[in-house]
mmCIF file of all heavy atoms in Angstrom:
data_model
loop_
_atom_site.group_PDB
_atom_site.id
_atom_site.type_symbol
_atom_site.label_atom_id
_atom_site.label_comp_id
_atom_site.label_asym_id
_atom_site.label_seq_id
_atom_site.Cartn_x
_atom_site.Cartn_y
_atom_site.Cartn_z
ATOM 1 N N PRO R 773 -9.714 7.976 -16.122
ATOM 2 C CA PRO R 773 -10.218 7.328 -17.340
ATOM 3 C C PRO R 773 -11.233 6.237 -16.993
ATOM 4 O O PRO R 773 -10.854 5.101 -16.709
ATOM 5 C CB PRO R 773 -8.963 6.749 -17.986
ATOM 6 C CG PRO R 773 -8.048 6.482 -16.828
ATOM 7 C CD PRO R 773 -8.346 7.529 -15.792
ATOM 8 N N VAL R 774 -12.503 6.583 -17.009
ATOM 9 C CA VAL R 774 -13.530 5.658 -16.521
ATOM 10 C C VAL R 774 -13.560 4.361 -17.319
ATOM 11 O O VAL R 774 -13.948 3.306 -16.787
ATOM 12 C CB VAL R 774 -14.924 6.331 -16.538
ATOM 13 C CG1 VAL R 774 -14.969 7.472 -15.540
ATOM 14 C CG2 VAL R 774 -15.269 6.836 -17.936
ATOM 15 N N ASP R 775 -13.149 4.393 -18.578
ATOM 16 C CA ASP R 775 -13.163 3.179 -19.388
ATOM 17 C C ASP R 775 -12.014 2.233 -19.036
ATOM 18 O O ASP R 775 -11.989 1.081 -19.470
ATOM 19 C CB ASP R 775 -13.104 3.530 -20.876
ATOM 20 C CG ASP R 775 -11.860 4.313 -21.250
ATOM 21 O OD1 ASP R 775 -11.384 5.118 -20.408
ATOM 22 O OD2 ASP R 775 -11.353 4.131 -22.371
ATOM 23 N N ARG R 776 -11.071 2.707 -18.218
ATOM 24 C CA ARG R 776 -9.950 1.859 -17.798
ATOM 25 C C ARG R 776 -10.090 1.381 -16.355
ATOM 26 O O ARG R 776 -9.292 0.558 -15.900
ATOM 27 C CB ARG R 776 -8.628 2.636 -17.933
ATOM 28 C CG ARG R 776 -8.318 3.139 -19.338
ATOM 29 C CD ARG R 776 -7.947 2.001 -20.267
ATOM 30 N NE ARG R 776 -7.498 2.483 -21.556
ATOM 31 C CZ ARG R 776 -6.235 2.738 -21.862
ATOM 32 N NH1 ARG R 776 -5.297 2.545 -20.950
ATOM 33 N NH2 ARG R 776 -5.892 3.178 -23.051
ATOM 34 N N VAL R 777 -11.047 1.920 -15.636
ATOM 35 C CA VAL R 777 -11.214 1.549 -14.231
ATOM 36 C C VAL R 777 -11.777 0.137 -14.128
ATOM 37 O O VAL R 777 -12.778 -0.204 -14.760
ATOM 38 C CB VAL R 777 -12.150 2.542 -13.503
ATOM 39 C CG1 VAL R 777 -12.433 2.054 -12.083
ATOM 40 C CG2 VAL R 777 -11.523 3.929 -13.472
ATOM 41 N N GLN R 778 -11.145 -0.708 -13.332
ATOM 42 C CA GLN R 778 -11.622 -2.068 -13.084
ATOM 43 C C GLN R 778 -12.049 -2.186 -11.621
ATOM 44 O O GLN R 778 -11.536 -1.477 -10.757
ATOM 45 C CB GLN R 778 -10.517 -3.079 -13.405
ATOM 46 C CG GLN R 778 -10.025 -2.977 -14.850
ATOM 47 C CD GLN R 778 -8.982 -4.023 -15.163
ATOM 48 O OE1 GLN R 778 -9.290 -5.204 -15.353
ATOM 49 N NE2 GLN R 778 -7.726 -3.620 -15.234
ATOM 50 N N GLU R 779 -12.978 -3.080 -11.346
ATOM 51 C CA GLU R 779 -13.498 -3.253 -9.996
ATOM 52 C C GLU R 779 -13.316 -4.703 -9.549
ATOM 53 O O GLU R 779 -14.195 -5.544 -9.750
ATOM 54 C CB GLU R 779 -14.968 -2.845 -9.941
ATOM 55 C CG GLU R 779 -15.185 -1.367 -10.263
ATOM 56 C CD GLU R 779 -16.627 -0.932 -10.080
ATOM 57 O OE1 GLU R 779 -17.427 -1.706 -9.539
ATOM 58 O OE2 GLU R 779 -16.945 0.199 -10.489
ATOM 59 N N PRO R 780 -12.181 -4.996 -8.932
ATOM 60 C CA PRO R 780 -11.905 -6.377 -8.507
ATOM 61 C C PRO R 780 -12.798 -6.864 -7.372
ATOM 62 O O PRO R 780 -12.985 -8.074 -7.215
ATOM 63 C CB PRO R 780 -10.444 -6.323 -8.072
ATOM 64 C CG PRO R 780 -10.193 -4.886 -7.739
ATOM 65 C CD PRO R 780 -11.041 -4.104 -8.675
ATOM 66 N N GLN R 781 -13.349 -5.954 -6.582
ATOM 67 C CA GLN R 781 -14.295 -6.314 -5.525
ATOM 68 C C GLN R 781 -15.111 -5.071 -5.205
ATOM 69 O O GLN R 781 -14.688 -3.943 -5.506
ATOM 70 C CB GLN R 781 -13.580 -6.827 -4.275
ATOM 71 C CG GLN R 781 -12.928 -5.759 -3.417
ATOM 72 C CD GLN R 781 -12.300 -6.296 -2.157
ATOM 73 O OE1 GLN R 781 -11.224 -6.906 -2.197
ATOM 74 N NE2 GLN R 781 -12.948 -6.074 -1.026
ATOM 75 N N PRO R 782 -16.298 -5.244 -4.621
ATOM 76 C CA PRO R 782 -17.102 -4.066 -4.269
ATOM 77 C C PRO R 782 -16.324 -3.101 -3.386
ATOM 78 O O PRO R 782 -15.708 -3.506 -2.396
ATOM 79 C CB PRO R 782 -18.288 -4.682 -3.513
ATOM 80 C CG PRO R 782 -18.412 -6.070 -4.054
ATOM 81 C CD PRO R 782 -16.994 -6.510 -4.303
ATOM 82 N N GLY R 783 -16.329 -1.852 -3.770
ATOM 83 C CA GLY R 783 -15.643 -0.828 -2.992
ATOM 84 C C GLY R 783 -14.242 -0.512 -3.452
ATOM 85 O O GLY R 783 -13.644 0.468 -3.012
ATOM 86 N N VAL R 784 -13.682 -1.355 -4.335
ATOM 87 C CA VAL R 784 -12.322 -1.117 -4.841
ATOM 88 C C VAL R 784 -12.375 -0.819 -6.330
ATOM 89 O O VAL R 784 -12.876 -1.620 -7.115
ATOM 90 C CB VAL R 784 -11.399 -2.329 -4.604
ATOM 91 C CG1 VAL R 784 -10.021 -2.057 -5.210
ATOM 92 C CG2 VAL R 784 -11.263 -2.638 -3.129
ATOM 93 N N ARG R 785 -11.862 0.342 -6.704
ATOM 94 C CA ARG R 785 -11.617 0.658 -8.108
ATOM 95 C C ARG R 785 -10.113 0.584 -8.326
ATOM 96 O O ARG R 785 -9.345 1.023 -7.471
ATOM 97 C CB ARG R 785 -12.132 2.049 -8.461
ATOM 98 C CG ARG R 785 -13.639 2.198 -8.351
ATOM 99 C CD ARG R 785 -14.086 3.603 -8.764
ATOM 100 N NE ARG R 785 -13.520 4.628 -7.878
ATOM 101 C CZ ARG R 785 -13.509 5.921 -8.153
ATOM 102 N NH1 ARG R 785 -13.987 6.369 -9.302
ATOM 103 N NH2 ARG R 785 -12.987 6.795 -7.294
ATOM 104 N N LEU R 786 -9.712 0.029 -9.451
ATOM 105 C CA LEU R 786 -8.287 -0.174 -9.695
ATOM 106 C C LEU R 786 -7.884 0.373 -11.056
ATOM 107 O O LEU R 786 -8.563 0.152 -12.056
ATOM 108 C CB LEU R 786 -7.944 -1.668 -9.614
ATOM 109 C CG LEU R 786 -6.471 -2.040 -9.772
ATOM 110 C CD1 LEU R 786 -6.096 -3.213 -8.875
ATOM 111 C CD2 LEU R 786 -6.119 -2.386 -11.228
ATOM 112 N N LEU R 787 -6.767 1.099 -11.057
ATOM 113 C CA LEU R 787 -6.125 1.516 -12.298
ATOM 114 C C LEU R 787 -4.838 0.719 -12.429
ATOM 115 O O LEU R 787 -3.938 0.823 -11.584
ATOM 116 C CB LEU R 787 -5.811 3.015 -12.284
ATOM 117 C CG LEU R 787 -6.995 3.973 -12.424
ATOM 118 C CD1 LEU R 787 -6.519 5.415 -12.267
ATOM 119 C CD2 LEU R 787 -7.681 3.798 -13.780
ATOM 120 N N ALA R 788 -4.762 -0.110 -13.458
ATOM 121 C CA ALA R 788 -3.581 -0.944 -13.652
ATOM 122 C C ALA R 788 -2.400 -0.094 -14.116
ATOM 123 O O ALA R 788 -2.567 0.998 -14.669
ATOM 124 C CB ALA R 788 -3.884 -2.041 -14.667
ATOM 125 N N GLY R 789 -1.206 -0.619 -13.881
ATOM 126 C CA GLY R 789 -0.001 0.039 -14.370
ATOM 127 C C GLY R 789 0.233 -0.346 -15.822
ATOM 128 O O GLY R 789 -0.699 -0.641 -16.559
ATOM 129 N N GLY R 790 1.479 -0.368 -16.213
ATOM 130 C CA GLY R 790 1.797 -0.738 -17.588
ATOM 131 C C GLY R 790 2.918 0.106 -18.138
ATOM 132 O O GLY R 790 3.387 1.064 -17.505
ATOM 133 N N PRO R 791 3.364 -0.223 -19.348
ATOM 134 C CA PRO R 791 4.516 0.465 -19.937
ATOM 135 C C PRO R 791 4.279 1.950 -20.206
ATOM 136 O O PRO R 791 5.242 2.710 -20.321
ATOM 137 C CB PRO R 791 4.753 -0.297 -21.246
ATOM 138 C CG PRO R 791 3.465 -1.000 -21.526
ATOM 139 C CD PRO R 791 2.878 -1.311 -20.201
ATOM 140 N N ASP R 792 2.997 2.378 -20.295
ATOM 141 C CA ASP R 792 2.759 3.798 -20.568
ATOM 142 C C ASP R 792 3.230 4.673 -19.409
ATOM 143 O O ASP R 792 3.462 5.873 -19.580
ATOM 144 C CB ASP R 792 1.288 4.061 -20.877
ATOM 145 C CG ASP R 792 0.349 3.640 -19.762
ATOM 146 O OD1 ASP R 792 0.737 2.764 -18.967
ATOM 147 O OD2 ASP R 792 -0.758 4.182 -19.694
ATOM 148 N N LEU R 793 3.390 4.076 -18.217
ATOM 149 C CA LEU R 793 3.923 4.850 -17.096
ATOM 150 C C LEU R 793 5.344 5.324 -17.380
ATOM 151 O O LEU R 793 5.755 6.398 -16.937
ATOM 152 C CB LEU R 793 3.922 3.992 -15.824
ATOM 153 C CG LEU R 793 2.565 3.744 -15.164
ATOM 154 C CD1 LEU R 793 2.684 2.640 -14.118
ATOM 155 C CD2 LEU R 793 2.049 5.020 -14.511
ATOM 156 N N GLU R 794 6.086 4.523 -18.115
ATOM 157 C CA GLU R 794 7.473 4.873 -18.412
ATOM 158 C C GLU R 794 7.564 5.999 -19.436
ATOM 159 O O GLU R 794 8.632 6.591 -19.611
ATOM 160 C CB GLU R 794 8.216 3.637 -18.924
ATOM 161 C CG GLU R 794 8.264 2.498 -17.901
ATOM 162 C CD GLU R 794 8.907 1.245 -18.441
ATOM 163 O OE1 GLU R 794 8.805 1.032 -19.676
ATOM 164 O OE2 GLU R 794 9.500 0.496 -17.661
ATOM 165 N N GLN R 795 6.446 6.300 -20.091
ATOM 166 C CA GLN R 795 6.437 7.344 -21.109
ATOM 167 C C GLN R 795 6.064 8.711 -20.552
ATOM 168 O O GLN R 795 6.086 9.715 -21.277
ATOM 169 C CB GLN R 795 5.446 6.975 -22.230
ATOM 170 C CG GLN R 795 5.654 5.594 -22.815
ATOM 171 C CD GLN R 795 7.053 5.388 -23.347
ATOM 172 O OE1 GLN R 795 7.614 6.260 -24.000
ATOM 173 N NE2 GLN R 795 7.639 4.226 -23.049
ATOM 174 N N LEU R 796 5.707 8.756 -19.267
ATOM 175 C CA LEU R 796 5.313 10.033 -18.673
ATOM 176 C C LEU R 796 6.497 10.999 -18.659
ATOM 177 O O LEU R 796 7.621 10.629 -18.331
ATOM 178 C CB LEU R 796 4.816 9.827 -17.248
ATOM 179 C CG LEU R 796 3.458 9.132 -17.088
ATOM 180 C CD1 LEU R 796 3.166 8.918 -15.608
ATOM 181 C CD2 LEU R 796 2.350 9.963 -17.718
ATOM 182 N N GLN R 797 6.236 12.224 -19.009
ATOM 183 C CA GLN R 797 7.272 13.247 -19.031
ATOM 184 C C GLN R 797 7.106 14.199 -17.852
ATOM 185 O O GLN R 797 6.003 14.487 -17.416
ATOM 186 C CB GLN R 797 7.196 14.038 -20.350
ATOM 187 C CG GLN R 797 7.334 13.192 -21.598
ATOM 188 C CD GLN R 797 8.698 12.537 -21.701
ATOM 189 O OE1 GLN R 797 9.713 13.158 -21.376
ATOM 190 N NE2 GLN R 797 8.725 11.292 -22.148
ATOM 191 N N SER R 798 8.202 14.701 -17.349
ATOM 192 C CA SER R 798 8.195 15.709 -16.287
ATOM 193 C C SER R 798 7.324 15.272 -15.106
ATOM 194 O O SER R 798 6.438 16.014 -14.662
ATOM 195 C CB SER R 798 7.700 17.057 -16.839
ATOM 196 O OG SER R 798 8.497 17.482 -17.917
#
Side-chain angles (χ1 to χ4, degrees):
V774 294
D775 60 326
R776 301 289 187 92
V777 174
Q778 302 183 76
E779 297 185 9
Q781 76 177 76
V784 177
R785 295 182 298 166
L786 183 144
L787 287 175
D792 58 336
L793 286 167
E794 299 176 331
Q795 308 304 317
L796 289 176
Q797 302 296 320
S798 303

